[in-house]
Amino acid sequence: MTKVERSEILDLAAYDRERDRLHAAAMEAKEARRVEVGPWLTFLFESRETVRDQIQEMIRAERLYREAEIAHEVETYNELLGGPGELGCSLLIGIPDPAERDAKLRRWLPLVDHLYVRTASGRTVRPTYDRRQVGEERLSSVQYLKFALGNDAPVAVGCDLPDLRAETPLGPAQREALARDLGG
């Protein structure tokens, strides 16, 4: 997927004028790429539009004006995007109760190795991820994943960790969005 260029990022004043329209479009794009797997796992597949929105929102929230700070945000968030034949994904593990969350994130330490995307051809593709996000005793509740799919579009997302065994078939809008993202 083509990375977001610095030239695509609006300055604060321009973004504030266009924010309602741009943010709404990004949220729509994000919804087509959101996949709930079981009660606790949310896969948010990233696109240029969702990443551009995150950059703009970070610049807005942090009131960033300096070019070096903006360039850093662009570089950082572009890492969420997959390369050619890859889908980048943010995995959110949503457990509201802090004590329950801590216990499960300790028990689910091997979770990332049990995640997968099933493709149209029937392949099961496991993600690559930054091993620094997995501590020695506890998993982080946000993980950044990449699925190397080539041109083989996903049709389902799942987990085969015994405590979390679940698979979610993708709907037509999700399949179309992710196939389009794989195409460039």
Side-chain angles (χ1 to χ4, degrees):
M1 182 173 303
T2 306
K3 304 293 185 191
V4 175
E5 297 290 329
R6 168 59 183 102
S7 61
E8 298 174 73
I9 303 302
L10 301 174
D11 64 46
L12 281 169
Y15 183 63
D16 280 344
R17 285 191 301 274
E18 297 291 324
R19 181 176 185 262
D20 290 345
R21 180 182 63 79
L22 294 173
H23 192 61
M27 291 303 98
E28 188 175 313
K30 190 172 276 195
E31 195 53 41
R33 292 164 176 81
R34 178 187 309 270
V35 181
E36 305 284 338
V37 176
W40 294 294
L41 304 179
T42 301
F43 292 76
L44 296 171
F45 289 90
E46 303 292 353
S47 70
R48 291 183 83 251
E49 189 168 12
T50 64
V51 165
R52 187 173 42 248
D53 181 68
Q54 289 178 60
I55 294 166
Q56 290 286 178
E57 287 294 307
M58 184 58 72
I59 291 169
R60 182 175 185 266
E62 299 289 328
R63 309 304 293 172
L64 301 178
Y65 293 95
R66 294 197 318 243
E67 188 57 38
E69 294 171 328
I70 294 169
H72 175 73
E73 296 301 321
V74 171
E75 181 181 334
T76 298
Y77 282 98
N78 267 331
E79 290 178 16
L80 299 177
L81 293 172
E86 276 185 329
L87 290 177
C89 177
S90 298
L91 172 68
L92 310 175
I93 304 169
I95 306 167
D97 178 79
E100 180 183 11
R101 179 175 50 247
D102 185 61
K104 286 184 174 172
L105 292 176
R106 289 176 188 283
R107 190 168 68 239
W108 296 346
L109 196 58
L111 170 67
V112 184
D113 293 320
H114 290 270
L115 303 173
Y116 64 87
V117 167
R118 191 167 317 286
T119 68
S121 69
R123 282 190 311 134
T124 298
V125 178
R126 304 281 177 181
T128 58
Y129 60 96
D130 185 346
R131 300 226 178 244
R132 294 174 297 180
Q133 295 173 302
V134 179
E136 292 193 25
E137 296 181 14
R138 185 177 184 272
L139 181 68
S140 171
S141 61
V142 177
Q143 297 290 315
Y144 301 107
L145 315 171
K146 292 197 178 159
F147 292 92
L149 299 165
N151 293 322
D152 202 1
V155 296
V157 179
C159 175
D160 57 14
L161 187 71
D163 286 359
L164 292 170
R165 207 173 291 277
E167 183 175 284
T168 300
L170 301 180
Q174 292 169 317
R175 288 195 310 269
E176 181 182 323
L178 297 179
R180 191 171 50 247
D181 293 344
L182 268 179

